[in-house]
Amino acid sequence: MIKVCIADNYPVVHFGVKSYFKDNADISIVANVGNFLMVRDILQTKDIDVLVIDLDLEGLSSIFEVKAILKNFPKTKIIIYSGLSEQIYAPNAIKAGVSGFVHKSEKLETLGVAINKVHQGKIIMNETVKKNLALIAKQSKSERLYRKLSNREVEVLRYLSGGKKNHEIAEILNLNEKTISTYKLRLLTKLNVTNLVDLVNKAKTLEIV
């Protein structure tokens, strides 16, 4: 039996997922948590095979925190289960070490297949994301600079798009404010815009927000 923990902000998601897998012969939802602090507590007290987590989970500010979970609990596989753009977030999540990305618009049957496959050691992503990763791998470092945003850049852009100031983002991500300013300048360059308004509009176009 695959022991699964669901980490999500919304009770309706917990109820829906748990109800769907109630009679599943292979998957057991053994824990439901509503914030990132509880994730750590659960992983320390229970053997969790697969953690299904939303990137918008309360208390989760960075993909690097997910990366730390993978390092501290190497036997636990992670699936990102989110409504955020798969095109933008899945490649960075896979690079960080997660085993799969399932968009919330997918049927729960798809989530079940993903849970089974990642438990077997497989990496789950759709064909478009696979092609994007393959294309990025073939590009030179200079080409990637303009075509690909790093994990941190995506996070900073997301917070900027949400109206956060540099000092607020620095506090959330536990970084220096000058570092945030540097990321902001890189984003302006990579996305070929000259001001914050255009940067936010580009983020919306890319479905980063």
Side-chain angles (χ1 to χ4, degrees):
M1 186 70 76
I2 305 170
K3 296 183 288 295
V4 177
C5 172
I6 305 296
D8 197 281
N9 292 331
Y10 300 104
V12 65
V13 174
H14 291 290
F15 177 79
V17 174
K18 194 163 188 176
S19 296
Y20 181 82
F21 291 108
K22 181 177 61 175
D23 300 318
N24 192 286
D26 302 315
I27 297 169
S28 176
I29 309 299
V30 298
N32 293 80
V33 299
N35 61 62
F36 192 63
L37 182 61
M38 293 172 70
V39 169
R40 296 180 182 277
D41 292 340
I42 286 294
L43 292 177
Q44 287 172 347
T45 56
K46 289 188 176 183
D47 291 326
I48 301 296
D49 297 313
V50 180
L51 170 65
V52 177
I53 185 170
D54 191 343
L55 288 175
D56 278 329
L57 183 68
E58 181 184 342
L60 175 59
S61 60
S62 168
I63 192 68
F64 291 91
E65 291 179 311
V66 175
K67 196 172 183 177
I69 289 290
L70 288 163
K71 181 180 179 180
N72 294 327
F73 303 93
K75 292 182 180 179
T76 301
K77 306 293 184 181
I78 293 182
I79 293 174
I80 302 298
Y81 185 52
S82 176
L84 294 171
S85 170
E86 190 169 3
Q87 294 284 83
I88 297 297
Y89 290 92
N92 284 330
I94 298 297
K95 282 178 62 180
V98 307
S99 296
F101 190 110
V102 177
H103 197 272
K104 282 187 172 179
S105 62
E106 297 282 354
K107 296 179 180 178
L108 284 174
E109 179 184 358
T110 302
L111 179 60
V113 171
I115 290 170
N116 275 290
K117 287 188 175 180
V118 302
H119 185 247
Q120 296 166 12
K122 298 177 181 177
I123 304 296
I124 302 301
M125 68 187 95
N126 69 28
E127 289 302 317
T128 303
V129 173
K130 285 182 183 178
K131 289 177 182 177
N132 285 349
L133 284 173
L135 179 63
I136 291 163
K138 292 178 181 178
Q139 294 171 344
S140 67
K141 191 172 182 180
S142 60
E143 285 178 317
R144 293 183 202 181
L145 181 64
Y146 293 97
R147 295 172 183 260
K148 181 70 177 168
L149 301 181
S150 70
N151 290 331
R152 274 291 188 225
E153 287 161 353
V154 169
E155 289 168 352
V156 171
L157 180 53
R158 189 175 167 203
Y159 285 122
L160 285 170
S161 300
K164 299 290 186 185
K165 305 298 184 184
N166 285 13
H167 70 90
E168 294 175 309
I169 300 171
E171 185 174 344
I172 291 170
L173 298 178
N174 195 27
L175 295 172
N176 188 285
E177 188 174 345
K178 288 184 178 179
T179 302
I180 301 301
S181 296
T182 299
Y183 280 122
K184 185 177 176 180
L185 287 172
R186 288 183 189 172
L187 286 164
L188 290 168
T189 300
K190 287 187 177 184
L191 298 180
N192 195 29
V193 293
T194 58
N195 57 70
L196 181 59
V197 173
D198 288 342
L199 187 64
V200 170
N201 287 334
K202 182 61 74 75
K204 291 177 180 178
T205 301
L206 295 171
E207 299 182 2
I208 288 177
V209 294

